[in-house]
Amino acid sequence: MKQTLTGRLLKREQAVPGSARVNEDLAPARLVEAALANGEGVLASNGSLVVDTGERTGRSPLDRFVVDDPAIHDKVCWGKVNAPISRESYERICSGVAGYLYGRELYVVRGFAGSDRNHSRKVCVICERASQALFIHQMLVRPSARELASFGEPDIYVLAAPGYHCDPESDGVNSSAAVILDLAHGGIVVAGTGYSGEIKKAIFSYMNYLLPVEDDVLSMHCSANIDPQTGQTAVLFGLSGTGKTTLSADPSRLLIGDDEHGWSEHGIFNIEGGCYAKAIDLSPIAEPDIYQAIRFGAVCENVILDPESREPDYTDVSRTQNTRVAYPVEHIKSVKLDGRGGVPSVVLFLTCDAFGVLPPISKLSREAAMYHFMAGFTSKVAGTEEGVVEPQPTFSALFGEPFMPLAPSVYADMLGSRIDKTCARVYLVNTGWQGGAYGTGYRISLAVTRSLVAAALSGDLDNAGYEHDDRLNLDIPVECPGVSPVVLNPRNTWATGEAYDEAAEKLASMFEAHMGKRYPELDEAVLNAGPHHIA
């Protein structure tokens, strides 16, 4: 890394020699003070720092790039998700960002990506804003005083400059914003966007390259928790808006993490040290743990406050539906502070079905698990990405394709081998619609989903047996404690069975068309485990 222009620029001593002041590893209280003094945000009545992210209130997928380098060219799955950018363009943007930061007060945060030190990477983030430094301080695994004293050279450097605007014409990017990963030399640049989730996801994307390639660790876009009595560990896959954070914050279990994990031969570990939850319609009744976690040290993005009382109004989406809050994991009452768990015995795939066709829960065979992992069917929910204003059905491989630099088959093969070794039970959970599609039906209640997940984790869901749906190729439970049998089969909830069959046929055909086009050489046993239209 040091031999490249990027490496030289990203070293603190060289990247910011003309800065008015470089603030290294400040405590959260001091970062809050700095953010308030700089006019970056205000304090809410609950003590959290509330900031406005500016023009961009969600991720910008079209502004994400990977530097095309001979060292990684044959490993990366190039395409719309991993769009290539030349090293010349990347270095030009880095140089521009460094020049922009010259003379400014900066905030440097050092931490780990990975709570298991056998597989962690040292990360150094250089921020233009104190509020973003607070955000990433809470999201990274925070080093002990001893670890910080002997931190040494970071493995990954990040430059975060929301005030810098790229020139699309000369820089070879699509807009004034750019998120660029230099996987060959340990660099990340996040420019032109104040949405802090871009920093978090860029680091995650980098780890999704390093862990499988260098450590033989399956990196996963999932939440995880553990039963404190039995030690049973569960992982919950899902894109934003499917319920990963909400369902993993279970008061009867200990939270390991809400979004990013690695699965090694010894168990799982949180890649992060914090949580990044959607705040829309948050309530102390439905989500008490998350609600109470929003206090001093937390960072809220685009949450609307009462101008007098400073009380947050989580129902107000006038700014964006993608209101967010970041907080350290220790703000959750029931948490496993070391961020580690055993080998998972239960795997849950969370999907938000806007067609209202998939059952609230179904059990998957090993082949069906591989199929749905590679399909990654869900719906993008409003506000998570720029331009998404209502649920949009989509296929996102691995339930996290926007963050995966390698081919989906690499991660899927690793998951399949782990299912074989551990005999983990796998379930598909629909947290989307029932009784009709979006606009006609209704969102499956959180209470129902919690009951189904609890029954899957305990094994109670298997007691009454299953009925097989030939079209969807899913095993649907006949009974579940605390849940009406009527809602278990989605066909029962529609106005007519014929209307449901028509929608189910459409969805099954979508699966067939997508998988046939995306994976023309998919193993036949895996392909046959997925949905099939019935003429």
Side-chain angles (χ1 to χ4, degrees), residues 197-265:
E198 295 281 25
I199 305 173
K200 159 190 157 68
K201 290 302 188 184
I203 296 171
F204 178 45
S205 298
Y206 209 121
M207 293 297 287
N208 289 334
Y209 172 81
L210 294 175
L211 289 177
V213 170
E214 297 184 356
D215 294 20
D216 191 30
V217 169
L218 171 61
S219 54
M220 307 175 291
H221 187 222
C222 70
S223 58
N225 58 26
I226 186 170
D227 187 317
Q229 304 300 321
T230 65
Q232 179 211 54
T233 302
V235 295
L236 300 85
F237 287 88
L239 283 175
S240 176
T242 57
K244 289 195 318 301
T245 299
T246 298
L247 293 172
S248 59
D250 184 337
S252 68
R253 298 171 68 87
L254 298 179
L255 176 71
I256 298 173
D258 81 322
D259 196 45
E260 306 172 2
H261 292 83
W263 184 344
S264 72
E265 62 178 339

Side-chain angles (χ1 to χ4, degrees), residues 139-160:
M139 295 309 300
L140 290 173
V141 176
R142 290 163 290 284
S144 66
R146 177 175 295 180
E147 288 174 324
L148 200 57
S150 59
F151 198 75
E153 183 73 16
D155 301 297
I156 303 172
Y157 284 96
V158 184
L159 280 180

Side-chain angles (χ1 to χ4, degrees), residues 153-171:
E153 183 73 16
D155 301 297
I156 303 172
Y157 284 96
V158 184
L159 280 180
Y164 178 81
H165 298 288
C166 302
D167 183 340
E169 185 174 347
S170 62
D171 291 335

Side-chain angles (χ1 to χ4, degrees), residues 1 34 75 97 102 109 118 131 170-171 201 223 272 275 292 313 334 350 363 384 399 515 534:
M1 182 184 68
K75 299 184 179 71
V97 170
Y102 186 88
V109 177
N118 294 315
S131 55
S170 62
D171 291 335
K201 290 302 188 184
S223 58
E272 301 183 294
C275 302
Q292 294 167 16
D313 183 355
S334 300
L350 306 180
K363 193 171 185 179
T384 303
F399 298 99
M515 296 297 281
I534 299 176

